[in-house]
Amino acid sequence: MSLKPATGRILISEPFLNDPNFKRTIILLAEHGEDGSVGFVLNKPTEYRIHEVIEDFPVFDARVYYGGPVQLNTLQFIYKGAEIIDGSVEIIPGVYWGGSFDLLKAVISSGSVSADDFRFFLGYSGWTEGQIDDELKLNSWIVTESGAEEIFSKEPDNLWRDLLKSMGKKFAVLASFPENPSVN
């Protein structure tokens, strides 16, 4: 029995999904409900650090990720640990989304948090009501659960393959499928 999409679950793109926005991506569903879904791509880091992208932001060695193709002019963030930022929403136990941007800057300026505990995203991935279900019927996604360890992986480039391999033999085969089968 496969899992259904839900807040806090992970979408793993099937190896045959060729949409350039989602090819070989891992997406954390930060919100999933009857009105639609919001998620963040966990395995597409950019070259930029947060203080290089946001003006008047304290120096903080946290990389900015491509969150998805929707509203690329917006910045979202998640963090792990205790709820330290007012307005945050707990996605899974110990992982929070958003909150007061001013408080975020103050917490970072205080030096009391680690860059490894944060992920910043330009844009997000969004689906309208029923859209993910339609995409699941087309075998575009595999739904799984994960914890903070995977969500905050220090090796995001290997995350797609590593998560598939961890799901057992059937999925390990997909993990080794060549990115371009015609080159094989």
Side-chain angles (χ1 to χ4, degrees):
M1 173 87 183
S2 61
L3 292 173
K4 300 282 185 215
T7 298
R9 294 220 167 124
I10 297 286
L11 297 179
I12 303 173
S13 67
E14 290 274 2
F16 313 107
L17 182 63
N18 283 319
D19 179 325
N21 291 305
F22 299 114
K23 186 174 186 156
R24 296 193 177 218
T25 58
I26 301 294
I27 297 178
L28 170 65
L29 287 176
E31 184 175 273
H32 179 76
E34 56 187 50
D35 294 334
S37 305
V38 172
F40 304 111
V41 176
L42 297 175
N43 62 331
K44 289 195 176 184
T46 70
E47 300 292 315
Y48 302 102
R49 301 296 188 254
I50 185 63
H51 63 275
E52 298 170 330
V53 174
I54 302 292
E55 212 174 287
D56 297 326
F57 201 87
V59 174
F60 195 54
D61 195 30
R63 186 170 272 180
V64 175
Y65 286 68
Y66 168 77
V70 182
Q71 294 187 357
L72 286 168
N73 62 337
T74 62
L75 182 81
Q76 304 281 333
F77 67 94
I78 61 173
Y79 64 95
K80 65 179 178 178
E83 183 179 1
I84 56 172
I85 300 173
D86 290 343
S88 296
V89 175
E90 192 169 34
I91 300 171
I92 63 171
V95 176
Y96 298 87
W97 169 31
S100 164
F101 205 72
D102 289 335
L103 188 54
L104 168 69
K105 288 169 50 173
V107 166
I108 289 171
S109 291
S110 76
S112 63
V113 295
S114 166
D116 291 340
D117 293 340
F118 285 81
R119 287 287 183 273
F120 294 91
F121 303 97
L122 287 175
Y124 65 91
S125 302
W127 294 266
T128 57
E129 175 188 354
Q131 188 178 359
I132 287 182
D133 293 327
D134 292 343
E135 292 179 11
L136 285 169
K137 289 174 190 162
L138 296 172
N139 294 319
S140 297
W141 302 103
I142 299 162
V143 181
T144 190
E145 295 184 286
S146 78
E149 185 176 315
E150 294 87 10
I151 293 169
F152 293 89
S153 172
K154 292 185 190 295
E155 296 184 10
D157 295 335
N158 298 329
L159 190 56
W160 183 83
R161 185 179 66 247
D162 292 348
L163 265 178
L164 281 172
K165 284 182 177 179
S166 74
M167 294 172 64
K169 204 173 220 176
K170 173 186 170 190
F171 296 102
V173 170
L174 293 176
S176 60
F177 194 82
E179 195 161 340
N180 184 349
S182 65
V183 176
N184 194 13

